Amino acid sequence: MAKTLELEFVTEYGKPARLSIENPKEPIEEAVVKAAMEEMIASGVFTSTNGNFASVKGARVIDRNVTEYEIV
Amino acid sequence: MARAIIATSKLRLVFQVGMDDDGKPLLKAKTFNNIQKLATADQLLQAAQAVINLSNETLSSIERVDSSELLA
């Protein structure tokens, strides 16, 4: 099971921007995620084609399950 | 005198995911494109820390990857 934490931001022009983190620390705590996202915005290093990251929109975990079948 | 002007900046987090049979560390890198060219080392470290806080991986190193355009 491969889990990915997807952080959703809003840029200075009001457009969405995403940043993903593989294998996130669990359990996910909303307050910790929010604080880390605010820290990322405060650092001012992340940008996108739609402008710099300006505010926190949300976060979600994507759980990907792959089942392989041996078909000869 | 020739000049080198930074064209793109990337932030690269290298994680250690295990050991191979010879006891050498197995590394996995996560690269963040779209980094402000003007970001300082302090800012990048702050952003990297925020990302690492949410990750379950073992950090090996934090790298900055710049590519510059050379002008005569």
Side-chain angles (χ1 to χ4, degrees):
Chain A
M1 259 196 307
K3 284 192 182 178
T4 305
L5 174 62
E6 221 172 60
L7 306 176
E8 298 180 302
F9 294 90
V10 179
T11 71
E12 55 190 327
Y13 304 125
K15 300 274 193 204
R18 270 198 289 273
L19 218 156
S20 64
I21 296 175
E22 285 109 52
N23 190 7
K25 204 177 273 176
E26 290 188 282
I28 305 264
E29 285 176 59
E30 286 169 30
V32 174
V33 173
K34 188 161 188 277
M37 290 176 79
E38 278 162 357
E39 184 97 13
M40 290 174 206
I41 293 168
S43 73
V45 308
F46 293 113
T47 181
S48 77
T49 44
N50 292 316
N52 298 335
F53 288 14
S55 60
V56 172
K57 186 179 172 211
R60 58 190 182 188
V61 169
I62 294 164
D63 206 335
R64 191 167 157 266
N65 257 313
V66 180
T67 309
E68 295 223 30
Y69 294 100
E70 294 267 345
I71 300 171
V72 184
Chain B
M1 179 126 138
R3 287 174 300 154
I5 295 177
I6 294 182
T8 59
S9 269
K10 291 176 189 175
L11 176 64
R12 199 160 171 263
L13 302 180
V14 184
F15 299 109
Q16 185 174 336
V17 290
M19 295 278 195
D20 69 6
D21 296 340
D22 302 326
K24 282 194 215 140
L26 285 174
L27 303 174
K28 187 179 85 177
K30 163 84 184 160
T31 305
F32 294 95
N33 301 323
N34 290 326
I35 295 295
Q36 289 274 9
K37 287 177 251 183
L38 299 175
T40 64
D42 281 331
Q43 288 176 302
L44 285 167
L45 213 55
Q46 183 188 5
Q49 289 296 349
V51 172
I52 294 154
N53 271 343
L54 297 178
S55 174
N56 207 13
E57 313 265 19
T58 312
L59 184 73
S60 174
S61 67
I62 303 170
E63 299 168 4
R64 175 183 190 150
V65 184
D66 283 339
S67 59
S68 311
E69 189 175 346
L70 296 178
L71 298 172

